[in-house]
Amino acid sequence: MSDHHVYKKVELVGSSKTSIEDAINNALAEAAKSLKNLEWFEVTETRGHIANGAVAHYQVTLKVGFRIANS
């Protein structure tokens, strides 16, 4: 193990019919299926889809950081 860490950031968009928090959790759950060493995230955009005058879908853009293996 080295004495420093190196990270990579990827951008994801999560969505949910119920909440912004669920949209974040959905994106992170999917990312965790193929990315290892997930360490942090930041929300960069929040938006939604409107249908019949109400929120139909929440969409959240995230930057997710993961640690490069053995760094």
Side-chain angles (χ1 to χ4, degrees):
M1 190 66 142
S2 76
D3 61 354
H4 67 277
H5 297 296
V6 175
Y7 298 90
K8 169 102 176 129
K9 287 195 298 188
V10 295
E11 189 171 77
L12 307 172
V13 178
S15 65
S16 170
K17 291 182 178 180
T18 57
S19 71
I20 291 169
E21 186 175 334
D22 280 352
I24 293 168
N25 286 324
N26 291 342
L28 295 175
E30 287 299 317
K33 291 178 182 179
S34 60
L35 298 173
K36 305 298 178 210
N37 304 317
L38 295 174
E39 297 270 334
W40 51 267
F41 72 93
E42 60 183 288
V43 175
T44 58
E45 294 180 318
T46 305
R47 67 185 159 275
H49 174 246
I50 301 168
N52 300 317
V55 175
H57 250 92
Y58 298 90
Q59 289 184 327
V60 179
T61 302
L62 310 169
K63 289 186 180 179
V64 178
F66 60 95
R67 186 174 34 82
I68 302 297
N70 301 319
S71 76

